[in-house]
Amino acid sequence: MPGPARTLAPGLGLPSALPALRLLHAHFGRLPWPRLLVGPASLAQDGFLVDTALAGALAARSTEGLCPLLCHADGTPLGPGARATNPKLAAVLRGAAVAPTPDLAGEALLSLLARDLGLRGPLPGPRPTLEPALQLPMPQGILSTTPSPSAGPELLARVEAALRSGGPSPDPCLLVPRAPVTPGSGVLATIDSSGSVLLLTSSLNSSFGSGHLSPSTGVLLSDLVAESASEGWACPLVLHGGSDDTEADVLGLVASGNPVVARVTTRALLSRLAGPQAQAQQQQQGPTQSPSICGQGTLLQVAAHAEHAHVSSVPSGCCTFQGF
């Protein structure tokens, strides 16, 4: 389900994560939807402790637009060990827990945002949709990914070209050039023993997004809008070992935040398919010579085999055996 950026107001992205997750649950969820929001609502209400990295980022910039979430009552930024709470967001989540449909969950959030921003007239509705996956039959199974605006089409083209040429070369791992502009983003990957996979990417585009906190919702709005969205910044894939075998091996890979994620993900996939012997051969050739490149981002891998699930991460610029 790709998520094209939509504009709420000039320079402000439209939040769509909540209705998108509600839509996914309506089609694939098993636990009651209200139960799933108990933990997030409690976390928003009780808050979290600010760590050193966040405190340093807050101290380096103005807190204008971020209060009261990340500020003391006098407007100064929260320091290490301070607790950041978000009761407004907790209330939004509790309301979404009882929304009967994804549309109503999104519309309730949108009406509060519109009131905060003084918007009038018809607003762009956060109406996520389920799109058919792009698929590529392979000897090892069926490879599935998301259509544009993700990097899925580029990913399939790279994999198909590599398979035609005989797979990855035995050379040491490819160095990934540092991207001049990289959207700040987060990735989540999880899998269960039945082979159900969730690969999720989300982004505010930059560290604090637009720097505008909606007072009625507690939502920090992104500046990832249609005009500025980097094409292909997210790249998920799922490889299912058989089209009709419920016990077949399943592999999921997801990365985001870098224009070259399709290249990195392709390399990780082909190395995985080459088997332990090829990875051992790469390891004997030595690790990558550029640690700074290894730290650019993380590619998450999840796999299910014989009812056992495994989750691991791969630094996005490194050989895939590093970081497992």
Side-chain angles (χ1 to χ4, degrees), residues 193 247-250 272 303-310:
S193 59
E247 297 184 358
D249 292 352
V250 178
R272 168 86 181 194
H305 173 70
E307 297 187 355
H308 295 282
H310 178 68

Side-chain angles (χ1 to χ4, degrees), residues 112-324:
L112 293 174
L113 293 171
R115 185 179 67 186
D116 285 346
L117 297 172
L119 301 178
R120 299 180 181 276
L123 298 175
R127 304 196 182 272
T129 58
L130 294 177
E131 302 291 339
L134 300 180
Q135 294 188 324
L136 175 66
M138 303 173 58
Q140 298 85 354
I142 303 295
L143 182 65
S144 302
T145 187
T146 50
S148 181
S150 75
E154 180 188 353
L155 170 70
L156 291 192
R158 286 185 172 275
V159 171
E160 196 168 13
L163 292 176
R164 285 199 303 265
S165 65
S169 67
D171 298 332
C173 50
L174 300 172
L175 296 181
V176 179
R178 180 170 290 277
V181 178
T182 299
S185 59
V187 293
L188 180 148
T190 186
I191 192 170
D192 64 18
S193 59
S194 68
S196 296
V197 179
L198 174 65
L199 306 175
L200 176 68
T201 64
S202 62
S203 178
L204 290 176
N205 193 46
S206 51
S207 296
F208 294 97
S210 65
H212 184 96
L213 180 72
S214 163
S216 296
T217 67
V219 173
L220 183 59
L221 297 173
S222 79
D223 56 355
L224 183 66
V225 296
E227 293 79 8
S228 65
S230 299
E231 182 70 18
W233 63 275
C235 189
L237 70 83
V238 175
L239 177 63
H240 194 278
S243 59
D244 55 0
D245 184 359
T246 58
E247 297 184 358
D249 292 352
V250 178
L251 172 70
L253 290 170
V254 61
S256 71
N258 195 310
V260 293
V261 289
R263 181 181 177 187
V264 173
T265 307
T266 300
R267 181 68 185 187
L269 171 67
L270 296 177
S271 179
R272 168 86 181 194
L273 296 179
Q277 183 177 359
Q279 293 185 17
Q281 181 182 5
Q282 288 181 339
Q283 191 165 9
Q284 291 173 359
Q285 294 169 341
T288 181
Q289 300 299 312
S290 180
S292 61
I293 290 179
C294 293
Q296 285 191 60
T298 298
L299 183 148
L300 298 184
Q301 173 178 279
V302 292
H305 173 70
E307 297 187 355
H308 295 282
H310 178 68
V311 181
S312 54
S313 64
V314 186
S316 64
C318 305
C319 294
T320 56
F321 58 79
Q322 297 174 1
F324 279 144

Side-chain angles (χ1 to χ4, degrees), residues 30-82:
R30 297 182 181 179
L31 295 176
W33 171 249
R35 177 179 169 184
L36 298 180
L37 293 185
V38 170
S42 297
L43 178 60
Q45 186 71 45
D46 300 337
F48 63 92
L49 298 181
V50 174
D51 60 15
T52 303
L54 177 56
L58 289 171
R61 59 152 290 157
S62 168
T63 57
E64 182 180 359
L66 301 179
C67 297
L69 175 61
L70 298 173
C71 310
H72 293 291
D74 60 1
T76 57
L78 298 180

Side-chain angles (χ1 to χ4, degrees), residues 88-113:
K88 294 295 186 181
L89 180 58
V92 168
L93 294 174
R94 294 189 184 106
V98 297
T101 67
D103 286 348
L104 290 179
E107 289 170 3
L109 174 62
L110 187 60
S111 64
L112 293 174
L113 293 171

